[in-house]
Amino acid sequence: LCCCEYVDRRGRRNHLAACCCDCEELDDGCDRWLTCKSLPPGALERIADTIADRLRVPWFSGAVKINVSLVPPLVLLPVLLHVAALHFLLGLIILTSLPVVVLWYYYLTHRRKERTLFFLSLGLFSLGYMYYVFLREVVPRGHVEHSQVVTLTCGLILMLAALSRAKKDPGYLPVPAGNEKPSYQGLHNENIRGSSSGLHGISGAASSRAVNGEAKGYCRMSAEQPAGVKKDWCTKCQLVRPARAGHCRLCGRCVRRLDHHCVWINSCVGEQNHQAFILALSFFMLTSVYGITLTLHTICRGRSLFVALFYCPGAYSDYSSALSFTCVWYCAIVTAGMGYILLIQLLNISYNVTEREARLALRDNTGRRLLGGLVIDTGQYNRGLLCNWGHFLSLGASPPQRSAEDIV
């Protein structure tokens, strides 16, 4: 392939110069529109798929496809923030409607079971653009020291490093080959004992039962599979899942200790990347609050952080201050949303429950609502605060090898 050629979704060689030609779906749609005929079912989806397949840029090994969901944040976010900086009322309208639009798009893609890079693009571009506005509009005022800029930059780098780690394998279970599918006979009546076939077991000396929804026993007891937990069979992946594993309908894979599918990283949060996910959220919260504080102390000098956020008379005296103040409010809205996610995650870790388990417990009415409904305690894996956090901090570590004497 030359730099302007590509292989389209039908497997045929195509050229960028011919992108506007030979579009049967679009031609048929225009003919029906001119003749006042209704479009057949799925016509708009086919036209959108064709346009998305032909949206490419030249590259050395062939034209590279551009994901359409990456483009809107790169274009709309700077435009909306600059428009919001023109007047207080415009800022109020835009900053109020923006979260509504994002939530609407989330529920739209979630209902259609679609994976999208929109949220990842929005998050990364928001970080970059807020950092750019801080360096361009806030730092030149001379009230921010170089050490503070270095601290903010280090926090941003650490957050991106943790985010990069969270984007890696969350703990996908290997999909068996087509001719090596395991048998399903007797799995429903067989309880987990031992740690063969990759299923972590429970040592007999530490086993105990949960009484009235609260677990009692030694802290050495495995928080992964208590007694009585049954093996789970995934009909889509055709494999036996260990306890707490789940199937993600967006990724189409089973994940060890599946917590949830996070649209902000466009990946699942599971056993292998849950710690990095929490670390990325923590670094984001610290960096964002620190940047908001530096900006407000620069454009609203002499006022406390909370007062300056709601009452800053000189914020719209010039466009630079107005843009900085608008970006502060945008960061505050995003930080509040991410702070809520982090709070729920920390509470779930403290009770050793995942988002998936909490959702299933609510559906089956088997969990207890605690702290005003912020956390759902299933009681199945809860071993106390310290043991729960110890178990979380040991996620991803290889299970201890049992000696022959223990097996005997």
Side-chain angles (χ1 to χ4, degrees):
L1 295 176
C2 74
C3 63
C4 295
E5 284 185 318
Y6 64 94
V7 178
D8 61 16
R9 61 193 179 98
R10 296 179 179 177
R12 299 179 300 186
R13 292 169 68 100
N14 212 327
H15 200 278
L16 289 182
C19 278
C20 299
C21 307
D22 191 25
C23 183
E24 299 176 0
E25 293 85 357
L26 186 58
D27 292 341
D28 182 66
C30 292
D31 291 340
R32 287 178 174 271
W33 178 70
L34 291 175
T35 56
C36 299
K37 296 181 180 179
S38 60
L39 292 176
L44 294 178
E45 287 77 5
R46 290 192 297 271
I47 294 175
D49 291 339
T50 302
I51 295 176
D53 184 56
R54 298 185 178 188
L55 186 62
R56 298 173 183 262
V57 294
W59 198 246
F60 300 105
S61 59
V64 178
K65 183 179 178 180
I66 301 177
N67 196 308
V68 181
S69 60
L70 290 172
V71 179
L74 306 182
V75 177
L76 295 179
L77 183 62
V79 173
L80 292 177
L81 290 179
H82 279 275
V83 172
L86 296 175
H87 195 273
F88 171 75
L89 293 179
L90 287 175
L92 183 63
I93 294 174
I94 291 177
L95 293 178
T96 303
S97 59
L98 191 59
V100 177
V101 174
V102 172
L103 289 175
W104 169 80
Y105 185 72
Y106 166 75
Y107 286 114
L108 181 65
T109 55
H110 188 72
R111 188 176 67 250
R112 294 181 178 180
K113 302 179 182 179
E114 297 177 355
R115 295 190 67 179
T116 175
L117 294 176
F118 173 84
F119 300 97
L120 179 61
S121 173
L122 177 62
L124 293 178
F125 185 68
S126 296
L127 289 173
Y129 192 72
M130 294 304 104
Y131 186 68
Y132 167 77
V133 171
F134 178 79
L135 295 180
R136 181 181 176 87
E137 306 294 344
V138 180
V139 175
R141 294 174 179 265
H143 300 294
V144 180
E145 300 178 359
H146 293 290
S147 60
Q148 294 174 325
V149 177
V150 171
T151 302
L152 185 68
T153 305
C154 291
L156 185 62
I157 294 175
L158 290 174
M159 192 218 66
L160 291 176
L163 183 63
S164 176
R165 175 62 187 85
K167 280 284 296 175
K168 295 183 178 180
D169 182 14
Y172 292 122
L173 291 173
V175 180
N179 56 352
E180 297 180 358
K181 295 180 181 179
S183 176
Y184 185 47
Q185 295 178 356
L187 287 179
H188 284 298
N189 297 325
E190 183 180 356
N191 293 337
I192 293 176
R193 295 186 182 92
S195 57
S196 60
S197 302
L199 304 180
H200 311 307
I202 310 169
S203 60
S207 62
S208 63
R209 298 276 184 159
V211 180
N212 295 328
E214 295 187 7
K216 298 180 180 180
Y218 294 102
C219 193
R220 292 194 305 269
M221 182 178 189
S222 171
E224 190 66 25
Q225 294 178 349
V229 176
K230 296 181 179 179
K231 292 180 179 179
D232 192 9
W233 171 262
C234 180
T235 57
K236 295 183 179 180
C237 295
Q238 295 292 297
L239 53 80
V240 180
R241 298 184 298 205
R244 312 191 75 176
H247 184 87
C248 177
R249 61 178 186 175
L250 297 179
C251 297
R253 296 282 299 276
C254 284
V255 182
R256 291 183 180 275
R257 197 184 179 276
L258 175 63
D259 190 86
H260 69 287
H261 181 93
C262 181
V263 296
W264 295 106
I265 64 174
N266 194 34
S267 177
C268 290
V269 177
E271 182 179 88
Q272 298 293 331
N273 67 342
H274 202 170
Q275 296 174 352
F277 179 73
I278 295 297
L279 197 60
L281 281 177
S282 302
F283 277 128
F284 171 80
M285 291 295 298
L286 295 175
T287 305
S288 180
V289 172
Y290 188 63
I292 290 174
T293 303
L294 293 178
T295 304
L296 288 179
H297 285 171
T298 300
I299 62 177
C300 300
R301 297 187 61 81
R303 300 181 183 276
S304 62
L305 178 63
F306 185 79
V307 174
L309 187 61
F310 291 94
Y311 182 69
C312 186
Y316 287 87
S317 58
D318 59 278
Y319 187 76
S320 176
S321 299
L323 180 60
S324 301
F325 189 72
T326 302
C327 290
V328 163
W329 258 105
Y330 175 74
C331 289
I333 294 173
V334 175
T335 303
M338 295 300 171
Y340 176 77
I341 295 176
L342 180 60
L343 175 63
I344 298 299
Q345 286 289 314
L346 295 179
L347 290 176
N348 286 344
I349 294 171
S350 300
Y351 286 90
N352 200 0
V353 62
T354 63
E355 282 289 325
R356 175 176 175 270
E357 292 166 352
R359 186 167 59 250
L360 294 177
L362 284 177
R363 185 193 66 184
D364 301 334
N365 197 21
T366 57
R368 297 185 305 158
R369 292 178 177 268
L370 301 176
L371 302 177
L374 290 177
V375 64
I376 306 299
D377 182 20
T378 61
Q380 192 174 12
Y381 303 99
N382 189 1
R383 301 295 179 263
L385 180 64
L386 295 180
C387 291
N388 292 339
W389 273 96
H391 168 66
F392 174 76
L393 295 177
S394 64
L395 286 179
S398 58
Q401 299 294 331
R402 298 196 303 171
S403 62
E405 291 80 0
D406 294 335
I407 297 177
V408 173

